[in-house]
Amino acid sequence: MPGLLSDALAWAAIITFILGSLLARRNERTARYVTAAAWTLFAAFWLQLVPYYAFEHKSYIEGFLSLAAVPACLYAGYLLYSGRDTLFVLSKAVAAMGVIYLPFETIPAFALFGVSIPAPKGVLMEAVAAQTKFLVNAFGYHPEFIAGDQGYLNTFLFMDGDHRLTISVVLACTGLGSMAIFGGLIAAVEAPLRRKFRALAIAIPIIYALNLLRTTFITITFGKQYFQFFVDEILLMFGSSDPYMVSFFISDRIISQFLAVLALVGITYLVVREVPELLTIIEDVLYMVTGDEYDLREALDLETPKSRGGSA
């Protein structure tokens, strides 16, 4: 798993993004330099994650996205430095995403005035694991629910004959990353709070519910070894020699990650209907990818915030 270097780079990048956002309204020139530096730090953060996702985590999708994020971040910093001021909004969004996500990733358990405060990620992981257990049991499966390697009650134990199969709900399995992305995007744009809250009320429950279905699906299909197809080919594809992992690779790394991309596209559309201001960020991303300017509000036939009235 990512360690101290990853955490240090993440915090350094996010703090620099925050500083750039604070400076944007006071000293645009300095803010431009600071935020460009933040994008460079963010590129370094993604670069050091590539080996983990590609070789340890064995997720080709996440490994590819991490690798692609490196030049994307450097290009965003270059464009901002060169005068594309709309990228200040995307930079602010990244800062907000980090503020939401990093406390769960990096804050350990500690004691305060004799009171033990649990690690935020432990609380979240155990909550999602307990809800996954409820759904797994509802579908008629009753694996043993045990503490995992980190000491949290977040692991399911199945038996395949004499072979133990364990699967744990870790932080990446909680949906926090996707919720942080939408929370950060919505927080970054200038829009009435009522519309922002409506957008959050759409995105967060859908992400959370779909993620519970995902963890339930993976737990059952791996625990019961339902997807033992093309064993040799799948093991070769993911660089593994453990045939028991085939059902996990198919259910998680292939099916779930592909469906997650489709779900995020759909959720983005629903959120943009409530907060069209987010299109500025999407247009910037499309510009970085294609080099062309886009007017998505006209293409999607979305009303402007003014035409939606003061009730928003």
Side-chain angles (χ1 to χ4, degrees):
M1 295 180 62
L4 290 177
L5 174 61
S6 180
D7 291 348
L9 280 173
W11 275 115
I14 295 305
I15 290 172
T16 309
F17 274 121
I18 294 172
L19 180 59
S21 298
L22 294 175
L23 288 170
R25 296 190 179 187
R26 299 185 179 184
N27 190 325
E28 186 176 292
R29 183 179 179 182
T30 302
R32 194 182 307 280
Y33 297 151
V34 170
T35 310
W39 281 109
T40 303
L41 286 170
F42 208 37
F45 166 76
W46 287 112
L47 180 61
Q48 58 84 37
L49 280 180
V50 172
Y52 166 73
Y53 281 127
F55 305 118
E56 295 183 43
H57 199 51
K58 299 187 185 300
S59 171
Y60 290 122
I61 292 177
E62 290 173 309
F64 172 78
L65 291 176
S66 298
L67 183 61
V70 176
C73 290
L74 293 174
Y75 188 43
Y78 167 76
L79 289 174
L80 181 60
Y81 180 81
S82 301
R84 192 174 180 88
D85 290 349
T86 52
L87 282 169
F88 276 120
V89 182
L90 177 58
S91 303
K92 184 179 176 182
V94 174
M97 294 173 200
V99 169
I100 296 170
Y101 185 85
L102 284 181
F104 287 90
E105 177 67 44
T106 61
I107 295 178
F110 62 93
L112 182 65
F113 303 116
V115 178
S116 296
I117 308 297
K121 71 176 180 180
V123 174
L124 182 58
M125 286 158 50
E126 289 189 340
V128 173
Q131 292 158 12
T132 300
K133 176 180 180 293
F134 174 82
L135 291 176
V136 169
N137 293 163
F139 280 104
Y141 301 91
H142 299 276
E144 188 177 351
F145 195 43
I146 62 175
D149 294 339
Q150 300 178 47
Y152 302 122
L153 191 61
N154 66 333
T155 300
F156 298 91
L157 170 63
F158 290 84
M159 297 300 298
D160 185 26
D162 295 330
H163 190 83
R164 291 166 54 93
L165 295 169
T166 59
I167 182 167
S168 300
V169 174
V170 297
L171 189 61
C173 303
T174 62
L176 177 64
S178 297
M179 290 187 283
I181 289 172
F182 281 96
L185 291 171
I186 293 168
V189 297
E190 297 291 337
L193 286 178
R194 179 178 293 184
R195 286 199 281 115
K196 287 189 175 188
F197 284 131
R198 281 207 303 260
L200 287 172
I202 292 171
I204 302 304
I206 292 176
I207 292 171
Y208 198 86
L210 290 178
N211 184 70
L212 282 178
L213 292 177
R214 183 185 72 87
T215 56
T216 302
F217 168 70
I218 296 169
T219 297
I220 293 173
T221 54
F222 169 69
K224 303 304 292 184
Q225 296 285 281
Y226 283 149
F227 286 161
Q228 293 301 106
F229 308 128
F230 307 106
V231 173
D232 292 337
E233 292 81 1
I234 295 296
L235 290 177
L236 178 63
M237 180 185 300
F238 289 94
S240 176
S241 60
D242 184 357
Y244 287 98
M245 291 298 294
V246 170
S247 287
F248 176 77
F249 290 141
I250 293 177
S251 62
D252 180 42
R253 300 294 189 258
I254 298 176
I255 297 175
S256 293
Q257 290 191 3
F258 174 74
L259 292 178
V261 172
L262 296 182
L264 289 177
V265 171
I267 294 169
T268 299
Y269 177 75
L270 294 176
V271 169
V272 164
R273 301 288 300 185
E274 292 295 332
V275 186
E277 291 85 352
L278 287 172
L279 291 175
T280 298
I281 297 176
I282 299 174
E283 288 166 354
D284 276 334
V285 172
L286 289 174
Y287 176 79
M288 288 190 291
V289 173
T290 67
D292 296 325
E293 298 286 358
Y294 293 85
D295 185 353
L296 294 180
R297 181 169 293 169
E298 181 177 349
L300 296 175
D301 193 27
L302 293 177
E303 299 173 347
T304 64
K306 288 183 180 179
S307 68
R308 297 179 78 152
S311 63

